[in-house]
Amino acid sequence: MTGTDVRLQPRRKGLTRTQKRGLSRGAQYVLFVAAVVAFALTADWGRLKNQFAQWDIAKQMFPDVITMALKNTVLYTLSGFAVGLALGMLIALMRLSSVGPYRWVAGIYIEIFRGLPALLIFIFIGVAVPLAFPGTEIVGGTYGKVALALGLVAAAYMAETIRAGIQAVPKGQLEAARSLGFSPARAMISIVIPQAFRIILPPLTNELVLLFKDSSLVLFLGVTLEERELSKYGRDLASQTANSTPILVAGLCYLLVTIPLGFVVRRMEAKAQEAVK
């Protein structure tokens, strides 16, 4: 065979980029299935069932786990969200203010309350406030304390979210309102803020999910039996029964709320992306 004949022979082609991606994806699926099968074969399902899935213990939790624990958790979350939203709006407007001291105070607040763990805020509200102001009672009792603690934490995050939403509204909207005779305050309230909230609705809903889980910190405020939320209720029953089934049931109750909220967030984000396109 001559050199010319060798050069004329077609070269063997390697795998295309699409084929390589397909092989990589297939290998990942195989590893995932192998990990699941290994877990299923090696786990002691009998011991897990005895510790976490005792139906008789689970039945004892109803209806209190719904009518008391879940209800309290939802009330704590909504009250904290309301306080956080109102305070966050104020901090966001201060952050955008042309007055220097307002911006400085807002910036300091955001940095402090974003940096401190929520646990420390609850301890501060439950211990430091009564010591600093003897005889002072927070309106609403435990519900008021939880609303204040959750609200202080949430406001720092919401303030930055609201600020970003306001800045995302085109400046032409504010200029058009001013040209129609709107005052700066009225233009902000009537034109800019409504548009900003349409933009930031998904992240605000995410914040609601986070607050729903943070409400478990209410146990550090010292609650009565009727004021217990899901985590406290599940832990108390787990201690009484020497079994972890109540903790599993409490976790499932959390999912009853967080999964639908997560679905709502995804739907809102998808609609927002469609609107942009």
Side-chain angles (χ1 to χ4, degrees):
M1 184 178 294
T2 65
T4 303
D5 294 333
V6 172
R7 287 194 299 270
L8 292 177
Q9 286 183 348
R11 296 180 179 179
R12 290 186 178 181
K13 295 183 178 180
L15 295 176
T16 64
R17 186 175 300 177
T18 301
Q19 291 173 329
K20 290 180 180 178
R21 284 200 299 265
L23 286 176
S24 176
R25 190 178 299 112
Q28 293 176 31
Y29 286 140
V30 170
L31 288 175
F32 175 76
V33 172
V36 171
V37 171
F39 173 77
L41 294 177
T42 56
D44 191 336
W45 294 103
R47 295 181 64 182
L48 286 174
K49 179 178 180 299
N50 290 334
Q51 187 63 26
F52 289 96
Q54 290 296 321
W55 177 243
D56 293 338
I57 296 176
K59 286 193 300 183
Q60 297 174 12
M61 300 178 65
F62 291 89
D64 287 348
V65 69
I66 301 295
T67 59
M68 181 187 68
L70 181 58
K71 181 197 73 173
N72 285 336
T73 301
V74 172
L75 290 177
Y76 293 149
T77 303
L78 293 179
S79 59
F81 184 81
V83 172
L85 186 60
L87 184 57
M89 173 63 72
L90 176 61
I91 298 298
L93 294 177
M94 291 174 63
R95 185 79 162 163
L96 294 171
S97 174
S98 59
V99 181
Y102 288 168
R103 294 197 306 272
W104 303 334
V105 170
I108 292 171
Y109 177 92
I110 290 171
E111 293 302 324
I112 290 177
F113 283 91
R114 281 198 310 183
L116 288 176
L119 171 59
L120 296 183
I121 306 302
F122 272 82
I123 294 175
F124 176 81
I125 295 298
V127 178
V129 171
L131 290 175
F133 306 97
T136 301
E137 286 292 335
I138 296 177
V139 178
T142 301
Y143 292 96
K145 293 178 183 178
V146 176
L148 181 58
L150 287 177
L152 288 173
V153 175
Y157 295 93
M158 290 186 185
E160 287 294 88
T161 301
I162 295 171
R163 179 185 62 81
I166 291 175
Q167 291 180 326
V169 177
K171 292 182 179 180
Q173 298 288 326
L174 183 60
E175 294 172 355
R178 293 298 305 279
S179 67
L180 294 174
F182 283 64
S183 66
R186 186 183 173 193
M188 179 65 69
I189 295 173
S190 302
I191 305 299
V192 177
I193 290 179
Q195 294 185 60
F197 267 87
R198 283 196 293 270
I199 297 171
I200 64 175
L201 199 54
L204 284 183
T205 309
N206 272 328
E207 184 63 32
L208 181 62
V209 174
L210 295 176
L211 285 181
F212 187 72
K213 295 184 291 184
D214 285 343
S215 65
S216 62
L217 297 173
V218 69
L219 64 93
F220 292 98
L221 295 177
V223 295
T224 64
L225 293 178
E226 291 75 18
E227 294 171 340
R228 290 177 297 176
E229 42 69 52
L230 282 171
S231 293
K232 175 67 173 171
Y233 182 77
R235 288 180 60 184
D236 287 349
L237 286 185
S239 298
Q240 295 173 14
T241 59
N243 191 274
S244 299
T245 299
I247 295 177
L248 176 63
V249 174
L252 293 176
C253 289
Y254 275 104
L255 295 179
L256 288 176
V257 176
T258 56
I259 289 178
L261 277 177
F263 175 77
V264 170
V265 171
R266 289 191 295 272
R267 291 294 300 170
M268 289 191 298
E269 289 176 344
K271 287 185 178 180
Q273 291 177 356
E274 291 175 1
V276 172
K277 293 178 182 179

